[in-house]
Amino acid sequence: MSQVVDGFGYTKEHEWVKVESGFAFVGITDYAQGELGEVVYAEFLKVEGDSIEKGDDFASLESTKSTSQVFSPVSGEVVAYNSKIEDDYEIINSDPFGDGWIVKIKLSEPSQIGQLMGATEYKAFLDTL
Amino acid sequence: MELKRTPFYSLIKEMGGKFVPFAGWEMPIKFSSDVEEHKWVRSDAGVFDVSHMGEITIKGKDALKQVNYLITNDASTLKDGEILYTPMMNHRGGTVDDLLVYRVSEESFFLVVNASNIDKDYEWMLNNNKYETDIVNVSDSFAQLAVQGPNAESIVQNLFVENLSEIKFFNFKYLKFDNETILISRTGYTGEDGFEIYIPLHIAESFWRELFNKGELLGLKPIGLAARDTLRLEKKMALYGHELSDTISPLEASLSWCVKMGKLEFVGKEYLLKQKDTLKRKLVGVELIDKGVPRHQNEITLEDGTPIGFVTSGTMSPSLQKPIALVIIDSQYAKIGTEIWLKSNQKLKKAKVIKTPFL
């Protein structure tokens, strides 16, 4: 069973969002990393300081088998990418909800958080797949 | 359409196989880690369920002539018990499929075709049955396992009385297992030593159990199709729908070693006679120098963005730990060492033509 963490927001595309004082940390869920396979390369499609709209892709994750675009669940400004990922891409697989976070965004529309699924709702969504 | 399941489905599910739809079948893409599975086949041994592959028999007094009419390679060089790899062309210079041809006797051949092409191939063979042979699609009669890796022989040997070292590369034998006849060939799609084993459906499950009974201590592990793809790519083995297709000729796929122009006749010969001296594009191996991973259908360009070709297959090579690709490009850029560019994520990335196979 894929792990789901309480207190995070989720999308149907299997991104997660954790909000900390006006900033959103975004990554992919345990389910998503399992589907993708070991991440062998990650390309960041924006640079720090870029504005980002909800639905924009901001990273491209590559496994040996396929490419997966990661979409932003929120709008705002890209504050930082997680530099740890570039040292060891597999951290996205081993710790998807923790050290494997991908981007930090300064929220421009905090109300978007309310549109995300909660952990219970996301778990129920996974059961339908 | 409901997906078909191989006789190993439940056994593989129990072992943690993760299934995806593939060519109308539910097939295991990986178990836990495709990279580790890949490496395990290179260092030890793994077994692939490839029961989705198709088998077609061609029999009759003119079976050899008929087979040779359909394929670009030359089956007349085969003795009984020998196998060859070959493309099969259409009349427009493209490739219908690539297949293995097993010579049982001069009047009996066993052809192994790609799962996604079974119906197309069968129809093609029936429509081009020039020598009125008996062509039968027997795909539903066999399960198929591929045991691949340096330890493959010592593992499979435990299931048979006969000495497997006597089966040389690209040869096959019919052997007894449980009083049933099994076809076993020293072939594969990984570039490692190993066997492809064709098993009657009703004993497929017991064969698998026995294989793991005997093989587990020798390191046998189940391997998914994701690793099969990266294993074959490192060794520059063509995958239909990628390096070969209805619009890519065997010469363009750099398979001239299995095109025998000296043969009296074969479907596609006239086209190839015109093409061979003015081959405009061909398949080469590429290493990405900038960061990234090349993918099927990514564009290949010059530094200024002018398109010169496309990626047929690409991956981060698990063995070499670097991004590699097979590409079809304009012949003038095909020389080893030539710098070319890969378009990926809207960026041009530097790459260069390198020697193949990659490994």
Side-chain angles (χ1 to χ4, degrees):
Chain A
M1 267 310 279
S2 299
Q3 197 196 348
V4 177
V5 177
D6 289 338
F8 286 29
Y10 295 92
T11 70
K12 285 190 171 173
E13 287 75 37
H14 309 286
E15 290 99 5
W16 58 258
V17 181
K18 183 176 69 166
V19 181
E20 277 178 12
S21 51
F23 294 97
F25 289 83
V26 182
I28 66 168
T29 66
D30 186 35
Y31 175 85
Q33 70 78 20
E35 289 289 300
L36 179 63
E38 283 138 297
V39 178
V40 293
Y41 178 63
E43 185 154 314
F44 302 143
L45 306 177
K46 304 265 179 188
V47 296
E48 286 161 16
D50 276 359
S51 69
I52 189 167
E53 291 296 314
K54 179 180 173 175
D56 284 355
D57 51 358
F58 64 85
S60 173
L61 304 182
E62 309 272 359
S63 67
T64 58
K65 186 74 188 153
S66 61
T67 304
S68 179
Q69 304 296 114
V70 192
F71 301 97
S72 181
V74 293
S75 302
E77 181 195 318
V78 174
V79 178
Y81 280 102
N82 182 2
S83 58
K84 270 190 195 166
I85 290 174
E86 287 177 291
D87 300 331
D88 178 14
Y89 299 116
E90 229 197 307
I91 205 166
I92 295 174
N93 298 106
S94 56
D95 192 7
F97 295 111
D99 284 349
W101 66 272
I102 300 169
V103 71
K104 182 180 177 184
I105 294 169
K106 185 172 194 295
L107 291 169
S108 60
E109 295 175 53
S111 64
Q112 287 171 337
I113 299 298
Q115 296 160 18
L116 300 169
M117 287 184 271
T120 313
E121 206 180 334
Y122 180 63
K123 266 182 220 165
F125 173 65
L126 287 181
D127 287 340
T128 66
L129 300 179
Chain B
M1 197 185 77
E2 195 168 334
L3 295 170
K4 291 194 266 189
R5 288 177 177 177
T6 81
F8 308 113
Y9 178 87
S10 307
L11 291 164
I12 288 175
K13 189 130 199 157
E14 274 170 33
M15 296 175 99
K18 190 174 154 40
F19 290 84
V20 296
F22 181 83
W25 294 78
E26 238 179 312
M27 299 302 290
I29 187 82
K30 64 170 180 173
F31 288 79
S32 55
S33 150
D34 37 288
V35 174
E36 293 312 312
E37 287 164 34
H38 176 113
K39 291 178 179 166
W40 194 254
V41 173
R42 292 264 182 260
S43 65
D44 293 78
V47 59
F48 304 80
D49 178 7
V50 283
S51 303
H52 58 317
M53 299 288 286
E55 295 86 15
I56 294 171
T57 55
I58 297 187
K59 294 180 185 177
K61 70 173 172 47
D62 289 326
L64 172 59
K65 277 188 190 164
Q66 177 60 36
V67 168
N68 247 359
Y69 176 65
L70 290 169
I71 65 174
T72 61
N73 208 332
D74 188 359
S76 72
T77 62
L78 294 177
K79 299 188 191 79
D80 294 354
E82 291 183 347
I83 304 161
L84 60 71
Y85 166 78
T86 183
M88 172 169 74
M89 287 182 70
N90 61 32
H91 295 291
R92 307 183 315 276
T95 305
V96 179
D97 202 1
D98 61 335
L99 50 147
L100 291 179
V101 174
Y102 291 62
R103 174 170 153 147
V104 181
S105 72
E106 189 174 343
E107 299 189 356
S108 174
F109 289 82
F110 182 79
L111 313 184
V112 181
V113 305
N114 283 299
S116 50
N117 289 336
I118 297 172
D119 294 341
K120 180 182 80 167
D121 289 358
Y122 184 50
E123 199 186 323
W124 176 258
M125 290 176 189
L126 291 179
N127 289 336
N128 291 277
N129 190 5
K130 184 175 177 182
Y131 294 95
E132 296 174 352
T133 53
D134 188 16
I135 302 177
V136 184
N137 178 3
V138 294
S139 301
D140 291 338
S141 309
F142 296 98
Q144 190 193 339
L145 294 176
V147 183
Q148 301 277 296
N151 299 340
E153 184 181 296
S154 53
I155 290 167
V156 180
Q157 182 63 71
N158 287 308
L159 280 76
F160 297 101
V161 179
E162 293 84 354
N163 187 355
L164 293 189
S165 66
E166 285 168 13
I167 305 178
K168 303 294 176 207
F169 189 53
F170 267 63
N171 278 242
F172 71 97
K173 276 198 168 141
Y174 289 103
L175 300 183
K176 288 286 180 199
F177 172 84
D178 237 4
N179 287 323
E180 298 279 348
T181 301
I182 283 180
L183 193 169
I184 173 164
S185 64
R186 197 168 211 121
T187 50
Y189 197 44
T190 62
E192 297 301 325
D193 187 24
F195 299 93
E196 291 177 302
I197 308 166
Y198 302 83
I199 310 151
L201 283 185
H202 65 281
I203 57 161
E205 220 181 300
S206 64
F207 186 88
W208 175 283
R209 287 185 198 281
E210 192 59 11
L211 184 63
F212 271 93
N213 262 342
K214 298 277 165 51
E216 209 154 19
L217 282 172
L218 291 163
L220 183 70
K221 288 185 181 174
I223 310 291
L225 294 185
R228 191 168 187 253
D229 188 40
T230 50
L231 285 159
R232 68 93 196 164
L233 179 49
E234 287 181 344
K235 296 290 184 175
K236 201 202 183 184
M237 293 169 140
L239 173 61
Y240 192 85
H242 291 245
E243 284 70 39
L244 288 167
S245 77
D246 288 315
T247 57
I248 300 173
S249 89
L251 295 184
E252 292 171 323
S254 298
L255 290 171
S256 56
W257 61 276
C258 39
V259 175
K260 299 294 152 67
M261 297 303 285
K263 280 200 307 178
L264 202 57
E265 55 160 13
F266 64 87
V267 177
K269 183 178 175 181
E270 278 161 38
Y271 188 95
L272 295 184
L273 276 173
K274 279 182 263 167
Q275 188 179 55
K276 74 178 170 54
D277 296 322
T278 55
L279 195 60
K280 290 196 181 65
R281 56 179 192 166
K282 62 190 209 182
L283 185 87
V284 295
V286 160
E287 173 186 351
L288 194 59
I289 295 164
D290 289 338
K291 284 188 167 183
V293 182
R295 294 295 176 196
H296 183 210
Q297 291 174 336
N298 280 168
E299 203 166 60
I300 299 293
T301 72
L302 299 177
E303 190 169 11
D304 65 4
T306 310
I308 55 166
F310 61 94
V311 173
T312 57
S313 298
T315 192
M316 182 70 80
S317 159
S319 303
L320 302 166
Q321 307 259 317
K322 65 181 190 187
I324 56 168
L326 292 172
V327 307
I328 289 182
I329 53 173
D330 295 356
S331 301
Q332 65 185 112
Y333 304 108
K335 223 177 115 207
I336 287 169
T338 310
E339 276 190 357
I340 53 173
W341 274 259
L342 170 88
K343 202 168 175 183
S344 152
N345 288 325
Q346 273 78 51
K347 281 176 233 161
L348 290 185
K349 297 175 179 176
K350 194 194 267 191
K352 78 170 186 221
V353 179
I354 60 167
K355 189 167 76 63
T356 52
F358 299 102
L359 185 70

